[in-house]
Amino acid sequence: MTSASHPHPHLGAFLKARRAQLSPRECGLPDTDSARRVAGLRREEVAQLAAISVDYYTRLEQGRVRASAPVLATLARALRLDDDQRRYAYELAGRSDARPRRRTAQRVRPAMRRLLGQLPHTPALVLGRRLDVLAWNAAAVALYTDFSAIPAGRRNYVRLLFTDPAVRALHRRWEHDARDAVAALRMEAATDPEDAELTGLVGELSVQDADFRTWWAEHRVTGAGYGTKHYHHPLVGDLTLDCDTWMSPDSSGQRLMVLTAEPGSQAHDSLRILTSWVADQTGSARTERLAG
């Protein structure tokens, strides 16, 4: 057969493989004692569960017809497809899944948390969807702010840039950095346009800040993973740091942002002084609490 006569053979192969993995009992069908010629569900049983004709389902498996989005939705339920399998089926069929995506809670991988703790003099953040600040190390607190004092629902990198006076003053080139942050948030919006929390964040910042409103309307986007940040810290003065961002390999959309300085440079020495001073202050406070 030619590809023209079998336009979607891969979807058919996937459907056939999936029904072979299911038993009638799993799908709420009576499990007869008679010998079954095929492993798993029969075509007739899948058609019954999906409320489509056996002939139509047979032609689907044979790649002779293209599945519509509503039929794919019923087949996904009938074949107990998980989110990844459902997305795969829609891609094979060349269709878009109109179902609202279920957003899982943003959880930082344990390995990412360990890495944060192993960077004592290197500020590092884990950013999630909408550039939410999900995790940080002590060096990031020393440079930016005490993230733990901010309610989790308000802990967002872009929000802090525009609404926190201390974080805003920290950036010597605030306009440049803020515009880049808005462009990165624009990229997030393109990835997940149905995200109600992102829509709320954009609405909030648009009302509060005219610059954000103007820059958001420009539709500038960026996915840059590296650059240079220029800070002025009240304790150690000017810091010029390289900013590198790595995407998590688990498709969660999380990214690790790390700020470093060339060894031997003034910024490198200032970072060590800053993080050591904050560590000493934290240790002293802890000792005083224990003594009290």
Side-chain angles (χ1 to χ4, degrees), residues 25 67 78 102-103 146 171 177 183 213-214 227 286 288-289:
R25 182 173 299 176
R102 183 173 54 200
R103 293 175 178 84
D146 183 2
H171 292 75
D177 294 342
R213 185 165 60 250
T214 298
R286 185 180 298 113
E288 290 174 5
R289 286 198 300 271

Side-chain angles (χ1 to χ4, degrees), residues 14-33:
F14 173 68
L15 295 175
K16 184 176 181 179
R18 180 57 187 159
R19 69 178 171 89
Q21 298 166 358
L22 296 172
S23 68
R25 182 173 299 176
E26 287 179 278
C27 299
L29 295 173
D31 194 0
T32 61
D33 294 330

Side-chain angles (χ1 to χ4, degrees), residues 77-143:
R77 289 191 295 269
L79 294 172
R80 304 293 197 268
L81 301 186
D82 61 26
D83 286 344
D84 288 340
Q85 292 169 328
R86 180 186 178 106
R87 185 163 55 251
Y88 180 65
Y90 274 81
E91 288 176 355
L92 289 178
R95 298 292 189 184
S96 297
D97 187 357
R99 183 190 63 168
R101 285 190 293 169
R102 183 173 54 200
R103 293 175 178 84
T104 58
Q106 301 188 85
R107 293 187 177 88
V108 180
R109 293 170 59 232
M112 195 86 88
R113 288 193 181 276
R114 285 197 300 270
L115 180 57
L116 289 178
Q118 292 169 9
L119 298 170
H121 300 292
T122 303
L125 301 169
V126 177
L127 303 176
R129 296 191 296 269
R130 303 172 296 274
L131 304 186
D132 290 337
V133 179
L134 305 182
W136 55 90
N137 62 3
V141 172
L143 177 63

Side-chain angles (χ1 to χ4, degrees), residues 120-197:
H121 300 292
T122 303
L125 301 169
V126 177
L127 303 176
R129 296 191 296 269
R130 303 172 296 274
L131 304 186
D132 290 337
V133 179
L134 305 182
W136 55 90
N137 62 3
V141 172
L143 177 63
Y144 284 106
T145 188
D146 183 2
F147 295 102
S148 65
I150 303 170
R154 306 287 298 172
R155 210 178 285 150
N156 178 273
Y157 183 78
V158 183
R159 179 185 280 116
L160 290 172
L161 266 178
F162 280 89
T163 65
D164 188 299
V167 173
R168 184 168 180 146
L170 176 68
H171 292 75
R172 284 161 50 202
R173 300 183 181 178
W174 178 84
E175 181 173 336
H176 174 275
D177 294 342
R179 287 175 71 103
D180 278 354
V182 173
L185 194 64
R186 256 292 178 195
M187 186 71 81
E188 288 285 314
T191 302
D192 192 359
E194 303 301 323
D195 187 342
E197 291 186 48

